[in-house]
Structure formats: structure tokens, C-alpha cells
């Protein structure tokens, strides 16, 4: 069934309660009179309350009304906040440079208002040292405490240890702040003077370089995570398929005496 209201000739009642183009109450009039007024004003007769007795109809530009309604719905979807959980994987013995890089990603996610799932992956003998992963998670939580908090405390999950960080800033606030910054940059670029073109172009070039570096860091992290997953799978296969160590072979007594 169509959810759109009936308009013009699709209205099948003898009389309607008519509302004018500016919202004024015209009163109960015959349908033919309402349609005549609609043609006179070059507007549509739209049934806005079909269950009323008699039905309430309004004179309006139905095409414009539909367009404005669609734009409002689009704006509402644009401002709607979706909860997103990002994930970052670390190793217990991570290199300081790699730690700083991944901490930077966590900081960016929290600034965007997203939750971050931190996973410490243990491999081989590292599984007997869970305190290494716990201390690393606590260190990361302390480093980003200005932007986020521990939403789910560290807990062991098989070969991994997991912790979830939640942002202090709500998603809607982060989106509004990012939109305001983007609008300010756009206004600054549009209103720059000819003498500042070189400086603005250099700034844009630096921004592009930063974006490239960020994408390279993400690609490097993905490659590292893939390599770690492959190594972890190989270790698991080796542990399950490794044959038992062969017992030492004793030399026969006669052979030992002869020797």
C-alpha cells in the first residue's frame, strides 16, 4: 500500500475541511470547490489527515513539499551517529616505533568518537607471560586517558588478550567538530588573497603528504598484522603436528664390548 497522501483527483470524498496555503482555516467545503481553489492558486489539494471526519486537506505545492521532506530526511541521516568499533592489534614485545604508530591510530579513532578494540596477540612461549600483554594495555590506556577510558578491562581470550577503549567525546560532537573544521578550511581557501596562494598551496601539499604517510602506515600495519596471523597459524600447526622426540637408541652390549 502506498504511504503517500492522496492529492487532487485521487481524493474521493464529498467534502473536506480545507486549510489555505498560509495555514489559514477555510472551513468545510465541497470537494469540487476545494479543487477549484487549488486550480485558482496553481497549487495541489493534498489530503493531510485522512482519518478525520471530514478529511483535512491543504493547498500546497506538493512537488516542493516532497523535495523539502527528502532534504530534511537526508540531513537527519547525515547527522545520525553510527557506533563503530575499530580494532588495533599489538604484540607483547612490540617495537617502540611500531607502538607509537599504532598509538597514533588509536588517538585518531578516539578523536573521531569511535570505540577501539585493542588485541594483544601471544605466540609460542609468550602465552606463558600474560603479564606482558596486561602491562602493555595499561600503558596504552594511560597514554590516551585524555581522549578515552577503559570500557572493557583486559581479559584473556585464547591466545589473545582484549581490551576496549571508549571515547570521552560523543560521536555526534566529534562529527560536528570535524565538520566545523572542514568548513573553516574551505572558507579560508575561498577567501585567501593572491599573495597567500603559494603558502596555501604548500599547506595543501603538506596535508596531502600527511594523508599519504597515514595511508602508508595503515598499509604497513595491515601487512604486519597479516604476517603475524600467518606466523601464528604456522606455530599452531607446528604445535599440533610436531612428532614426539625420538628416544635415544641404546647400543647393543656385544657391539660396545667389541668396540
Amino acid at each position: 500500500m502506498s504511504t503517500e497522501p492522496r492529492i487532487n483527483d485521487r481524493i474521493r470524498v464529498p467534502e473536506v475541511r480545507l486549510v489555505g496555503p498560509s495555514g489559514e482555516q477555510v472551513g468545510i467545503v465541497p470537494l469540487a470547490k476545494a479543487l477549484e481553489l487549488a486550480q485558482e492558486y496553481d497549487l495541489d489539494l493534498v489530503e493531510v489527515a485522512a482519518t478525520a471526519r471530514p478529511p483535512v486537506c491543504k493547498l500546497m505545492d506538493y512537488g516542493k513539499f516532497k523535495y523539502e521532506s527528502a532534504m530534511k530526511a537526508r540531513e537527519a541521516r547525515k547527522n545520525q551517529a553510527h557506533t563503530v568499533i575499530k580494532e588495533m592489534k599489538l604484540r607483547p614485545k612490540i617495537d617502540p616505533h611500531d607502538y607509537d604508530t599504532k598509538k597514533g591510530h588509536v588517538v585518531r579513532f578516539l578523536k573521531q568518537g569511535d570505540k577501539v578494540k585493542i588485541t594483544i596477540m601471544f605466540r609460542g612461549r609468550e602465552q606463558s607471560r600474560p603479564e606482558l600483554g596486561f602491562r602493555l594495555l595499561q600503558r596504552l590506556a594511560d597514554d590516551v586517558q585524555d581522549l578515552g577510558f577503559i570500557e572493557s578491562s583486559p581479559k584473556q581470550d585464547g591466545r589473545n588478550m582484549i581490551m576496549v577503549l571508549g571515547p570521552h567525546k560523543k560521536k555526534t560532537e566529534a562529527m560536528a567538530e570535524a565538520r566545523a573544521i572542514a568548513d573553516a578550511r574551505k572558507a579560508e581557501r575561498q577567501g585567501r588573497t593572491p599573495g597567500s596562494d603559494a603558502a596555501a598551496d604548500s599547506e595543501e601539499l603538506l596535508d596531502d603528504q600527511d594523508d599519504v604517510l597515514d595511508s602508508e602506515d595503515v598499509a604497513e600495519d595491515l601487512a604486519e598484522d597479516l604476517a603475524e596471523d600467518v606466523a601464528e597459524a604456522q606455530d599452531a600447526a607446528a604445535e599440533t603436528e610436531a612428532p614426539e622426540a625420538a628416544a635415544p637408541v641404546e647400543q647393543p652390549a656385544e657391539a660396545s664390548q667389541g668396540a
Side-chain angles (χ1 to χ4, degrees):
M1 296 180 62
S2 176
T3 58
E4 294 186 358
R6 293 183 295 183
I7 63 173
N8 300 329
D9 296 336
R10 294 175 56 189
I11 302 174
R12 302 293 185 181
V13 292
E15 57 184 13
V16 297
R17 185 179 298 274
L18 186 62
V19 180
S22 302
E24 67 276 10
Q25 296 289 334
V26 178
I28 299 176
V29 299
L31 177 61
K33 177 64 174 178
L35 291 173
E36 182 180 345
L37 290 174
Q39 292 180 356
E40 181 179 342
Y41 284 103
D42 195 19
L43 295 174
D44 298 307
L45 181 66
V46 182
E47 189 178 54
V48 295
T51 58
R53 290 294 178 266
V56 180
C57 296
K58 184 178 180 180
L59 298 175
M60 68 172 70
D61 187 343
Y62 187 60
K64 181 180 179 181
F65 171 75
K66 287 186 63 176
Y67 174 77
E68 292 177 350
S69 299
M71 293 300 296
K72 289 180 180 178
R74 179 181 178 184
E75 189 68 19
R77 290 194 300 268
K78 181 179 179 181
N79 294 330
Q80 186 177 4
H82 298 280
T83 301
V84 179
I85 299 180
K86 304 290 187 177
E87 185 174 7
M88 188 59 59
K89 296 181 179 181
L90 292 83
R91 293 294 309 280
K93 299 179 181 179
I94 188 171
D95 182 82
H97 172 71
D98 294 337
Y99 173 80
D100 292 337
T101 300
K102 297 201 173 186
K103 183 182 72 173
H105 295 325
V106 174
V107 168
R108 186 174 73 254
F109 295 150
L110 292 175
K111 285 183 177 180
Q112 294 173 354
D114 297 324
K115 297 181 180 180
V116 186
K117 176 183 176 183
I118 311 297
T119 302
I120 304 295
M121 301 181 300
F122 296 96
R123 191 170 64 192
R125 296 183 179 179
E126 295 175 348
Q127 298 180 62
S128 62
R129 301 289 303 279
E131 65 275 7
L132 296 178
F134 183 81
R135 286 201 296 265
L136 182 59
L137 291 176
Q138 288 293 335
R139 174 188 172 190
L140 180 59
D142 292 339
D143 290 343
V144 299
Q145 61 181 348
D146 294 339
L147 300 173
F149 61 94
I150 299 178
E151 184 174 289
S152 178
S153 300
K155 60 180 180 180
Q156 193 77 22
D157 183 16
R159 292 173 173 264
N160 302 328
M161 182 175 289
I162 298 173
M163 178 182 70
V164 178
L165 296 175
H168 291 311
K169 187 182 301 182
K170 294 183 179 180
K171 183 71 173 181
T172 52
E173 297 176 358
M175 291 173 60
E177 183 178 343
R179 194 177 298 112
I181 294 175
D183 292 341
R185 288 183 177 178
K186 183 177 180 181
E188 182 180 356
R189 291 174 181 175
Q190 291 178 349
R192 64 191 181 188
T193 59
S196 61
D197 285 345
D201 292 340
S202 62
E203 182 179 354
E204 292 178 3
L205 179 59
L206 291 176
D207 291 340
D208 294 340
Q209 291 176 350
D210 291 339
D211 293 339
V212 171
L213 291 176
D214 289 341
S215 62
E216 290 178 352
D217 290 337
V218 172
E220 182 180 352
D221 291 339
L222 291 175
E224 181 181 350
D225 292 341
L226 179 60
E228 290 174 351
D229 292 341
V230 172
E232 184 177 355
Q234 291 175 349
D235 289 343
E239 290 179 2
T240 56
E241 299 178 2
E244 297 181 355
V249 179
E250 296 182 358
Q251 295 290 338
E254 298 179 357
S256 60
Q257 291 178 0

